[in-house]
Amino acid sequence: GAVVSQHPSRVICKSGTSVKIECRSLDFQATTMFWYRQFPKQSLMLMATSNEGSKATYEQGVEKDKFLINHASLTLSTLTVTSAHPEDSSFYICSARGSVADTQYFGPGTRLTVL
Amino acid sequence: KQEVTQIPAALSVPEGENLVLNCSFTDSAIYNLQWFRQDPGKGLTSLLLIQSSQREQTSGRLNASLDKSSGRSTLYIAASQPGDSATYLCAVTSGTYKYIFGTGTRLKVLA
């Protein structure tokens, strides 16, 4: 099946720094990618939808200036957490949807810890 | 606004039991419903995908049903094993392909 990778799988950073997370579709072109966030013992919450070559659409309550999303190619989307704070510590998962698929493929997730 | 709820939130059963996990959603205008498994600290493993026109899907010991009109889906696990221990998530999509996830059921199968 289709594969989606995320890098890094785990990152620890100091408060105030910025962190970039990459999401790649390895064997298909992803016209749309989604970013989700999961706090401990909670379900996944959609943060934003990104379409290749256009601005991301953010869900209500998600700060677009804090969570910068770039989908510059059909195989790569990046999420940058700017000026990270401890409350941004979470598990971030991306998913990718191809142009013909009826399903999405999820990445393995990135564990972000902000000290 | 679509809301997805899963019952029970947690379940602990002895090995070998058949069990049913429930998922309900408030807006029946869905595109599809998918069941996932998530191991602690890990990503998602897709188990079964049911299109809105389908009523059930089966894979091995797993069977998922969908009653779109009543906003419900069930995941049936036959002959449970300790390796089935995980969190099970259901999620629905609409025409925008955004997944709305349920609250999850944490399953523990005791040896």
Side-chain angles (χ1 to χ4, degrees):
Chain A
V3 177
V4 175
S5 70
Q6 281 185 240
H7 178 79
S9 58
R10 186 180 296 265
V11 58
I12 300 173
C13 69
K14 293 182 178 180
S15 185
T17 60
S18 294
V19 175
K20 181 185 284 188
I21 302 171
E22 293 185 348
C23 176
R24 291 182 185 273
S25 58
L26 298 183
D27 52 1
F28 68 102
Q29 293 185 328
T31 52
T32 306
M33 288 185 170
F34 301 88
W35 287 94
Y36 297 83
R37 178 169 55 183
Q38 184 179 35
F39 291 109
K41 298 193 176 181
Q42 295 187 26
S43 193
L44 280 76
M45 298 297 293
L46 179 67
M47 298 175 66
T49 303
S50 75
N51 293 295
E52 185 266 338
S54 61
K55 290 184 178 180
T57 302
Y58 291 81
E59 295 300 301
Q60 191 173 9
V62 178
E63 299 175 60
K64 63 179 181 180
D65 293 331
K66 181 169 183 62
F67 299 98
L68 302 179
I69 292 173
N70 185 284
H71 192 164
S73 77
L74 285 171
T75 59
L76 174 65
S77 177
T78 60
L79 168 67
T80 301
V81 183
T82 63
S83 187
H85 291 285
E87 56 265 31
D88 299 323
S89 298
S90 187
F91 193 54
Y92 292 87
I93 300 180
C94 71
S95 70
R97 179 179 176 274
S99 59
V100 295
D102 282 336
T103 190
Q104 294 175 30
Y105 301 94
F106 284 80
T110 296
R111 173 77 57 193
L112 170 64
T113 302
V114 184
L115 303 177
Chain B
K1 179 187 173 185
Q2 178 75 272
E3 292 184 3
V4 183
T5 306
Q6 291 183 244
I7 295 174
L11 184 62
S12 185
V13 300
E15 181 177 7
E17 274 203 10
N18 301 323
L19 49 98
V20 175
L21 307 183
N22 297 291
C23 172
S24 62
F25 46 95
T26 55
D27 186 349
S28 62
I30 64 170
Y31 187 66
N32 62 41
L33 181 145
Q34 195 160 358
W35 284 92
F36 297 88
R37 167 186 173 137
Q38 185 177 31
D39 292 288
K42 303 292 184 182
L44 304 179
T45 299
S46 176
L47 298 174
L48 291 165
L49 169 69
I50 310 177
Q51 302 287 357
S52 60
S53 58
Q54 298 174 324
R55 292 195 65 85
E56 68 175 339
Q57 285 286 340
T58 298
S59 176
R61 295 184 292 110
L62 305 179
N63 175 277
S65 67
L66 173 64
D67 184 344
K68 200 174 106 169
S69 61
S70 67
R72 291 191 293 186
S73 175
T74 60
L75 178 66
Y76 177 82
I77 302 177
S80 59
Q81 303 170 358
D84 295 331
S85 298
T87 295
Y88 290 81
L89 297 166
C90 73
V92 298
T93 63
S94 63
T96 61
Y97 306 108
K98 296 190 288 189
Y99 272 88
I100 306 298
F101 281 85
T103 47
T105 294
R106 291 189 305 281
L107 172 66
K108 188 168 185 178
V109 181
L110 305 171

